[in-house]
Amino acid sequence: MTSYNHFTVPNQFVEAAGIRFAYRKFGQETGIPIILFGHFRSNMENWDPAVTNGVAKDRPVILFSNAGIGLTNGTTPDTVAEMAKDAILFIDALGFKQVDLLGFSLGGFIAQQITLERPDLVRKLVLGGTGPEGGQDMLTYIPEVTRVATNAVPVLEDFLYLFFPQDETSQNAGKKFWERRHQRKTDLEPATSPAVMQAQANAIGAWGIPNPAYPRLKEIKKPVLIANGYNDLMVPTINSYILFQHILNSKLILYPNSGHGFLFQFPQEFVTDVTLFLDQA
């Protein structure tokens, strides 16, 4: 393994098509790398080190910020298709011929699109807390969810509401996640700007326009692990089942008493499930 982990890995940069992408690579030196795509308004600081360091025990892990986010320059597109094109530029710039993808929430939209556009590039796909283009109840959200998700400066209470059920056990798990994600102290990325938030909101809105035929899901032939909590406020859990129904080579795992942040509530279990899936022939 490299001597780096989530807390110590330095920022690196690679340029493609005029975009200077910021990224962090750590974990095993060899093997198929897994590239992580985060949620609405997130950057590299929003990942749970219990997840990233856990997955990195067995493979290279790459966190990155797409165009316009964090330390990456350029303009954030307002469509998932364009976000996927920028991400492909990044992957190609690193010289990888094949990668695994882990897409969480909005990141899951982008990971699906990459797999559709460049199936040669993707070996396996992990989709967490996400849904298909045209999914169920993905166009409009509970007003309180929209209000909290777009607060100018997200705070602990926002994450506890959006990502975790309101019972004491789940809320305590959310507070522990919050502590873990703030343990990195150096080379931090700046928060996403209002312009990024608006572009991502536009992309999410367009992706959520209902289309119950889900015409492109059957085009995904790669092995897919789909995971979610039992009651996701952000991307309703039914959409994980819809993905499972329409992607032939897929497996679905739902975690108990959890929501959108299931992977942060059950990081060890999630790492175990992801590792087993990626290691299978």
Side-chain angles (χ1 to χ4, degrees), residues 11-14 19-26 34-39 42-47 52 61-72 83-91 94 101-103 107 110-111 114 189:
N11 296 323
Q12 299 185 69
F13 298 88
V14 65
I19 303 171
R20 187 171 182 258
F21 291 95
Y23 72 100
R24 298 170 186 163
K25 181 176 182 288
F26 55 101
I34 183 166
I35 301 178
L36 276 57
F37 294 80
H39 59 79
S42 71
N43 58 30
M44 291 189 287
E45 313 310 338
N46 289 78
W47 286 101
T52 58
V61 165
I62 297 175
L63 312 181
F64 89 110
S65 287
N66 214 342
I69 297 171
L71 295 170
T72 298
M83 293 175 182
K85 287 181 181 179
D86 288 340
I88 290 169
L89 286 174
F90 166 72
I91 296 169
L94 292 182
L101 305 179
L102 191 166
I110 299 168
I114 292 171
E189 286 201 300

Side-chain angles (χ1 to χ4, degrees), residues 65-233:
S65 287
N66 214 342
I69 297 171
L71 295 170
T72 298
N73 67 358
T75 301
T76 300
D78 63 358
T79 68
V80 170
E82 291 298 321
M83 293 175 182
K85 287 181 181 179
D86 288 340
I88 290 169
L89 286 174
F90 166 72
I91 296 169
D92 286 341
L94 292 182
F96 296 128
K97 302 303 180 185
Q98 194 170 55
V99 296
D100 295 327
L101 305 179
L102 191 166
F104 173 43
S105 194
L106 169 60
F109 306 167
I110 299 168
Q112 289 175 62
Q113 190 68 29
I114 292 171
T115 306
L116 290 167
E117 298 299 325
R118 285 286 301 278
D120 61 297
L121 190 59
V122 179
R123 185 185 72 112
K124 291 188 176 185
L125 180 61
V126 180
L127 297 174
T130 195
E133 184 173 12
Q136 185 171 321
D137 298 324
M138 288 173 55
L139 181 60
T140 57
Y141 295 88
I142 299 169
E144 182 67 4
V145 168
T146 300
R147 185 192 69 78
V148 173
T150 56
N151 279 340
V153 180
V155 296
L156 169 61
E157 288 72 23
D158 298 338
F159 279 87
L160 291 177
Y161 172 73
L162 295 171
F163 282 63
F164 301 91
Q166 297 305 299
D167 63 277
E168 183 177 3
T169 299
S170 301
Q171 291 286 292
N172 286 338
K175 293 172 185 176
K176 291 178 181 177
F177 154 68
W178 187 259
E179 293 174 359
R180 292 193 301 270
R181 65 157 279 195
H182 286 95
Q183 287 176 338
R184 181 181 170 101
K185 301 299 184 182
T186 59
D187 296 326
L188 301 179
E189 286 201 300
T192 51
S193 69
V196 169
M197 179 174 67
Q198 187 59 60
Q200 291 183 338
N202 292 343
I204 290 169
W207 185 267
I209 296 172
N211 184 354
Y214 312 114
R216 299 207 66 186
L217 288 182
K218 289 182 171 59
E219 297 177 35
I220 298 178
K221 308 296 185 183
K222 304 295 180 174
V224 180
L225 174 64
I226 304 159
N228 208 341
Y230 89 105
N231 184 23
D232 188 337
L233 288 180

